[in-house]
Every structure is written in C-alpha cells, then in structure tokens.
Amino acid sequence: MIVFYFLGAILVLALIIFLTYKRLVLMMVKLFYSKYSYKYLRVYKGFYYTSPFGYCIRDDISQHLLPFVGPERDLPVFKTKKHISFGNWDFYSKMSKIRKKQGKPICFNAFKLGKTQFRILGYRDMLANIPTRVLYFGLDNHFFMGEYVFKKITENQKKFILESLEKKYLGEKVGTDKMFYIQESENRKIHFRDTGFSLIITYIDLSEQQTRESLNNVYQQLQDMGDQLKKEQAEEESIEL
C-alpha cells in the first residue's frame, strides 16, 4: 500500500512539474536576464511560438540601421550647430533606467545580429497634440538611437512637424518633405523620412567606438548574406541553363 502511495505522489509531482515547467523556466530566465531581454523573448517564443509583447517594429532592425552605416546615401545633409537630443534622455543612458522611468512599454522587440543584441522599448506620446510612438533602441543595455513614428497624419500635421524640426535645428527651409539628414557631427545625426505609410524621424549617436564597430559588423554581415544569396541564385540559373 505504501508503495502505491509513493508512486502516486511521484506521478502527481511529475504532473505538476510538467504543467508548470514552462512557467518555472521563464521565471528563472526573467530572474537572471530580465523580462525585457533577448533571452526571455527567445525562450518564450520557443514555448508558445509568439511574443508576449506587442511589436514595436514589424520589419528587421537592420532596415532602421542601414541609413547610418555603409556607403553614404545621396540625400540632402543639413549641418546644425544645435545639440541633437532625443527627448529628455542622454544617449548611452541604460535601457533599464529608461524602462524604470518611463514605465511599462506598450511594445518590445529584441534581435540578435551576430554577437550583438538589440532591444527596442516603445511608448505612446503626444507631440504638439499629434499622437506618436516613441521608440528607444538599445545596443545591449545602452540607448543609442531613438525614433518618433507618426502614422495616419494629415498634410498639415506633417508640415507642422517638418517646420518645427527646421526651426529647432536649422533656421532655414530644407526644401523637401521626403528624406534628408540633419547632422551635428559625423556621429550624431537625425534622419527624416516619409515611407508613404509613416513619417519616421530617427535620432542616432555613434560616438562610442564599440557602437560603430557593432553596426559596421552588422552591415558586413548583411553584405555577406546578400553576396551569398546572389551566388546561390547564379548557381541555380546556371543549372537551369
């Protein structure tokens, strides 16, 4: 009889462990790496095949980095003597500090490109009564890039945003409302672009050597992937011929 009780207890314990295993693992990952980490997101997706957070961006993060790495783009560049800053946060503030101050984000993304981990925290805000999504991009745990994303805005609102940017940093008209740079220095810039779906204003600081090296490595990886894809396509075409 004792043996049956013992086996029953083992089965119950095994069932409890089976039912709570995922929660226990996630709890441990959260304890050691934080809920807002690439590790937690990867483990969660491995268990449930979806993200526990809303998406800050739907495309790959490399698309947001490319305007600042690789060959220079043939776009207007306007120099400013004003100090470029993103909201009230200094570049290279800790992402964990931003999250604690800003509160629970409405969205979160995490990516790993090579050995480099990127995180994005997203919040809702109002700029001059215009709804916007504010995104903080972190390389490991340091904030190096921010974006204001405006969706479904009118032409008058777009004009107001552009004029506000001109007034703050330039004191002159840029002559375009599509795509251009405002540059304080070689490593601190603003990129203005209208995608047709959203108006996105990106602020970046690449003054840290490690950040520049990490982004250059990402660019090189993308180039290598592109070269490999072209090679495979050429081989496939030669086989078909």
Side-chain angles (χ1 to χ4, degrees):
M1 184 65 70
I2 294 176
V3 173
F4 285 111
Y5 281 125
F6 180 72
L7 290 174
I10 295 242
L11 288 173
V12 170
L13 181 61
L15 181 61
I16 292 173
I17 292 174
F18 175 77
L19 294 175
T20 61
Y21 169 72
K22 293 179 181 180
R23 291 184 181 180
L24 289 172
V25 171
L26 287 171
M27 184 175 68
M28 295 302 294
V29 174
K30 180 180 177 181
L31 180 64
F32 286 101
Y33 296 95
S34 160
K35 183 178 180 180
Y36 298 98
S37 66
Y38 173 79
K39 182 75 171 180
Y40 182 90
L41 192 60
R42 189 183 69 174
V43 173
Y44 190 99
K45 285 184 174 181
F47 285 150
Y48 300 108
Y49 307 103
T50 187
S51 173
F53 311 102
Y55 289 90
C56 294
I57 61 173
R58 288 284 180 177
D59 53 350
D60 191 87
I61 192 172
S62 60
Q63 300 305 310
H64 297 252
L65 301 176
L66 284 176
F68 305 102
V69 295
E72 292 186 2
R73 278 128 185 95
D74 186 20
L75 294 175
V77 179
F78 301 91
K79 301 293 182 65
T80 180
K81 295 181 179 180
K82 302 291 183 65
H83 179 64
I84 290 176
S85 59
F86 188 74
N88 297 320
W89 288 99
D90 294 327
F91 288 107
Y92 296 98
S93 297
K94 288 187 176 181
M95 292 289 283
S96 54
K97 185 177 180 180
I98 293 175
R99 180 176 56 79
K100 289 176 182 178
K101 180 70 174 180
Q102 298 293 106
K104 182 180 179 180
I106 62 166
C107 60
F108 174 75
N109 286 84
F111 301 87
K112 188 173 183 180
L113 301 177
K115 296 181 179 180
T116 306
Q117 293 187 17
F118 295 91
R119 290 187 282 173
I120 308 172
L121 298 171
Y123 298 88
R124 290 191 185 94
D125 204 348
M126 297 287 290
L127 294 180
N129 294 319
I130 303 174
T132 181
R133 179 170 286 196
V134 184
L135 305 182
Y136 298 88
F137 290 71
L139 194 158
D140 294 325
N141 191 35
H142 293 93
F143 162 60
F144 76 100
M145 187 172 84
E147 283 188 349
Y148 293 117
V149 182
F150 301 90
K151 295 186 176 182
K152 298 180 180 179
I153 60 173
T154 65
E155 284 299 317
N156 284 336
Q157 288 175 323
K158 178 182 175 181
K159 181 181 177 182
F160 177 81
I161 293 168
L162 178 57
E163 289 177 347
S164 298
L165 202 60
E166 292 170 336
K167 182 179 180 181
K168 181 174 181 179
Y169 289 107
L170 300 174
E172 64 175 314
K173 297 290 184 181
V174 298
T176 178
D177 63 354
K178 296 301 180 185
M179 197 176 300
F180 60 87
Y181 291 97
I182 296 176
Q183 178 176 300
E184 176 187 349
S185 65
E186 185 65 27
N187 293 315
R188 184 172 290 207
K189 302 175 183 178
I190 296 173
H191 184 229
F192 180 101
R193 66 188 182 277
D194 184 352
T195 67
F197 301 97
S198 302
L199 177 64
I200 303 174
I201 307 176
T202 306
Y203 297 63
I204 194 168
D205 186 305
L206 299 175
S207 58
E208 293 286 338
Q209 182 178 351
Q210 182 179 350
T211 303
R212 295 196 302 272
E213 290 177 354
S214 294
L215 265 61
N216 286 333
N217 288 337
V218 168
Y219 177 76
Q220 188 59 54
Q221 290 171 31
L222 293 173
Q223 290 294 101
D224 293 343
M225 289 170 60
D227 293 341
Q228 181 62 30
L229 181 61
K230 290 179 182 178
K231 181 180 178 181
E232 291 175 357
Q233 289 175 340
E235 290 175 349
E236 288 177 0
E237 291 174 359
S238 64
I239 291 173
E240 290 176 359
L241 292 173

